Structure formats: structure tokens, C-alpha cells
Amino acid sequence: MKLTILGCYAATPRTFTNPTSQILEIKNRLFLIDCGEGTQVQLRKNKIRFSKINHIFISHLHGDHFFGLIGLVSTFTLLNRNTDLHIYGPKGIKEIIKLQLRLANSWTNYGLHFHELESNVSEIVFEDDKVVVKTIPLKHRIYTNGFLFEEKIDKRKLNTDAVQNYEIDKCYFQNIKNGKDITLEDGRVIENAQLTFDPKPPMSYAFCSDTAYNEAIIPLINGVDVLYHEATFLQSEEGLAGKTMHSTAKEAATIALKAKVKKLIIGHYSTRYENIGLFKEEAEIIFPEVLLADDGRSFDF
């Protein structure tokens, strides 16, 4: 699982920082999460192939989280894309994007599919044979979701030495990988655990975009391997955080601690702060496994 931060600062873009956008690579799938201004440039800087992006998840309709979307949708057309693109986001996102395309007379030459969200409870929004994605309802000034990405458990791995020892024919290998026991010609039943190795534990990533401190999300993210939680302010601006329905670094760390996550990544820093290291210092008082997001930074897990 690899996470690439394309942008992680709040509100307005600057020459040296970008608003929220990130790429998650998990089980050979590539997901774009939020799409603030500058996302296309950041994709190119980080050498991420546009053609690999088939699913885009938008947390909410504040500009610093989706103003780059129409540009990316349009660029896909210029690049002669022919693969379907799926966009998951709040109700209204379809109307916004289609209006821009209609007024520009710039319809896509590929399938553009919108999956509009309006539920206030967690729901599955994407699932295939390797990954499932669920919403994490957040508490912000407008309807907002985070997203939980979970790997599915792999098939068991064949113990080649064991199957050769029992002289098991190759035609049974798939059944063994699927977890089945094997009955030999002499009637002996060989338990699957003797013929296979456990698969790697499935990994999980929770993206919690703009949100006030909200313990209601704890059961949804409990025990995740990696939690990205916004930390717009330091605790010294707690009042401002409450007023704007954002979180402080201390509050993000408190959520991480109570949810028993393995690692916490904080981001969405207010541009009022010159030193983002202060966020890490504040969060580590509560939760020790803290990583700082920054534009262009990648994490391999």
C-alpha cells in the first residue's frame, strides 16, 4: 500500500503548497482522493500516469477539495481517453461538472459515471475482488464524507514442499489455495493448514477530510493500519477550529488513540503556520506514531 500526497494544505493554493489531493495505490488499484487545484500538475510532478486513474473520490464540495476536477476530466478528453471514469462524491457534483462541460461544449469521449452520495451512515461505494471502499460520515459545515479503503483477504499461499511431499496432483492446487482440505487416494484427509501458508494480513487506510472533532467515527476506523486525519489548527486556535468545524492536531491524535490505529498522518494545515513540525510535536504528546503529510511526500506501508 502506497500513499502519495499531492496536496495537503487548507484553503488557497500557493506557489509552494497545494490544496488537498492524494493518490492511494492498493492491491494494484490506483485511487485519486480529492482533487484540489493543481492536482494535474502534481500528478505529473510525481510521475503518476493519468490513464491509471479510473476512480475518483471527492469528500465534499468546498473548492479546495474539488476545483481541480473539471480540469482533470477535460484533460482526459484531450488525452483521448476511452476508459470509463467513476466519480464518487456528494449529491450535486454531477450537476456541477455537467454544467461546466455543457457550457464549454466539451463533452467527454469516454464514459463518465457519477455515484452521488447523500447517506449519513457508512455505506459501501466501491467493491471488487480485491478492495472495498466505504464512506466515513464526517462533521463539517456541509455534507462531507471520509473514505475507508480495505484490502480483502488474499487466498492462502501454496506450500510447494508440502504438496510435493504428499504427491498431490496440480489439478487440486486451486482448491487448496481456496482453503479446502484434500483427501488422498489412501483415504487420508490432509488439512489445508498443512498445505498452505497464511496470506499477508489485509491492510486498511482511512481518509478523514475536513471535520470537527467527532468520536462517532471511531467504530468505523477502529484498528486501521493508517489514518489520515485533518489537523487544520494547533490547539492554541481551538476556538477557531470549533467555529470553522475543523480539527486541531491534538484532536486528530486523540481520535487516533481512541480508535487504536497503527499510524496517524496529519495534514490540511492552515497556511497561517510557517512550521508544520509544530503539528507533529503537538500530536505526539497524545499519540506517538505520527507522520506529517507534505506535498510530494510518499509513504509505503
Side-chain angles (χ1 to χ4, degrees):
M1 186 170 74
K2 180 179 180 181
L3 179 70
T4 301
I5 305 296
L6 304 176
C8 64
Y9 288 79
T12 58
R14 297 181 292 179
T15 57
F16 54 96
T17 64
N18 296 274
T20 301
S21 185
Q22 51 187 247
I23 287 284
L24 179 68
E25 298 178 60
I26 181 171
K27 286 290 186 182
N28 295 317
R29 277 80 172 143
L30 188 149
F31 299 118
L32 177 63
I33 310 170
D34 276 350
C35 190
E37 291 178 75
T39 293
Q40 291 188 69
V41 174
Q42 288 296 94
L43 287 169
R44 293 191 185 281
K45 282 184 177 179
N46 288 277
K47 296 180 172 53
I48 294 168
R49 291 173 57 190
F50 284 34
S51 60
K52 294 185 69 177
I53 300 173
N54 297 321
H55 300 272
I56 302 175
F57 297 84
I58 302 296
S59 62
H60 64 298
L61 297 181
H62 279 161
D64 57 329
H65 293 261
F66 90 105
F67 275 175
L69 182 58
I70 182 61
L72 185 59
V73 167
S74 299
T75 294
F76 282 145
T77 299
L78 296 175
L79 295 176
N80 296 314
R81 180 189 180 98
N82 52 35
T83 306
D84 288 359
L85 178 66
H86 295 265
I87 298 174
Y88 309 78
K91 185 175 178 60
I93 194 168
K94 179 179 180 180
E95 179 183 359
I96 293 171
I97 298 302
K98 291 193 73 174
L99 175 63
Q100 291 174 303
L101 293 174
R102 178 172 64 81
L103 293 179
N105 193 26
S106 299
W107 298 108
T108 63
N109 51 8
Y110 56 89
L112 185 58
H113 304 279
F114 293 92
H115 306 265
E116 294 196 306
L117 310 174
E118 52 186 329
S119 175
N120 289 312
V121 297
S122 180
E123 59 181 343
I124 294 175
V125 293
F126 170 85
E127 184 174 14
D128 65 10
D129 61 330
K130 296 290 185 180
V131 179
V132 60
V133 184
K134 304 172 184 175
T135 57
I136 305 170
L138 300 176
K139 187 178 180 182
H140 194 41
R141 300 193 303 277
I142 61 173
Y143 178 76
T144 305
N145 283 302
F147 298 99
L148 174 62
F149 299 81
E150 296 177 304
E151 294 180 348
K152 291 186 176 180
I153 298 176
D154 280 335
K155 293 180 180 179
R156 299 185 65 80
K157 294 188 176 181
L158 198 68
N159 183 335
T160 54
D161 290 337
V163 295
Q164 288 175 4
N165 183 53
Y166 286 108
E167 299 181 345
I168 297 172
D169 193 276
K170 290 182 179 180
C171 68
Y172 296 107
F173 284 5
Q174 190 60 52
N175 284 339
I176 295 172
K177 290 179 183 178
N178 290 337
K180 294 183 179 180
D181 298 336
I182 294 296
T183 301
L184 302 181
E185 292 183 0
D186 61 9
R188 285 181 296 160
V189 176
I190 309 302
E191 293 183 357
N192 187 266
Q194 295 180 249
L195 303 173
T196 58
F197 298 112
D198 291 337
K200 291 181 180 179
M203 299 200 72
S204 54
Y205 173 68
F207 169 82
C208 289
S209 175
D210 298 14
T211 182
Y213 180 79
N214 181 19
E215 293 190 358
I217 69 173
I218 291 174
L220 301 176
I221 63 173
N222 189 63
V224 298
D225 291 285
V226 184
L227 166 65
Y228 175 95
H229 194 291
E230 75 117 288
T232 307
F233 299 104
L234 295 175
Q235 198 64 21
S236 54
E237 280 72 50
E238 180 183 11
L240 188 55
K243 182 179 178 180
T244 59
M245 300 190 75
H246 283 292
S247 297
T248 67
K250 179 180 178 181
E251 289 172 334
T254 301
I255 291 292
L257 180 68
K258 291 187 175 184
K260 300 176 182 178
V261 308
K262 294 184 175 69
K263 292 186 182 297
L264 169 66
I265 302 176
I266 51 177
H268 200 264
Y269 319 109
S270 168
T271 53
R272 70 182 57 226
Y273 304 104
E274 294 184 2
N275 179 13
I276 63 173
L278 297 174
F279 288 86
K280 190 173 191 291
E281 292 176 9
E282 181 172 287
E284 283 181 331
I285 296 172
I286 305 294
F287 185 81
E289 294 296 325
V290 179
L291 300 169
L292 282 180
D294 206 357
D295 294 7
R297 184 170 292 175
S298 292
F299 304 94
D300 285 289
F301 300 102

